[in-house]
Amino acid sequence: MEVNVSEAMEKTPEQLEEARREFVAELWRRFEALQEWAVSHWPDQQHPLSSADFVESRKEILSLRSPAGSLNQPATRDAAEPEQGGAQYIDVTPAPWP
């Protein structure tokens, strides 16, 4: 898929938002098809896949709908600066792997 950068720069914010929504809708449709295929073709029948195995992937795809980004990342756009009473330190270190 080729993307013309000059076309993207000429689009209004509304057009960019609509393009992003269309992209997420198409990604969701393709993910659902992939999930269905994976569940039906999983080779280990003693430990079958289910839709529950794809929960985190669904969350990540759905987080693309909001301009703030991933659900795991805190939205800091409206956060107060330290001199305005905001946090002096924000821990962004991920939790250790279980």
Side-chain angles (χ1 to χ4, degrees), residues 8-23:
M9 294 176 71
E10 295 172 3
K11 291 185 177 183
T12 66
E14 293 81 19
Q15 291 171 324
L16 291 173
E17 177 65 20
E18 181 60 31
R20 188 170 60 77
R21 288 177 188 263
E22 288 175 11
F23 173 82

Side-chain angles (χ1 to χ4, degrees), residues 9-88:
M9 294 176 71
E10 295 172 3
K11 291 185 177 183
T12 66
E14 293 81 19
Q15 291 171 324
L16 291 173
E17 177 65 20
E18 181 60 31
R20 188 170 60 77
R21 288 177 188 263
E22 288 175 11
F23 173 82
V24 171
E26 179 66 16
L27 179 62
W28 184 260
R29 186 189 64 73
R30 291 180 183 209
F31 175 73
E32 289 290 316
L34 174 65
Q35 176 183 314
E36 186 177 311
W37 177 87
V39 169
S40 64
H41 289 84
W42 181 247
D44 187 358
Q45 295 302 318
Q46 291 183 351
H47 303 97
L49 286 178
S50 72
S51 62
D53 295 313
F54 298 90
V55 169
E56 292 301 317
S57 300
R58 276 192 227 103
K59 286 181 185 177
E60 288 296 321
I61 292 171
L62 291 174
S63 74
L64 295 174
R65 293 188 306 184
S66 66
S70 173
L71 294 173
N72 294 330
Q73 299 297 321
T76 57
R77 289 184 182 174
D78 298 328
E81 292 295 322
E83 62 269 8
Q84 299 167 337
Q88 292 285 326

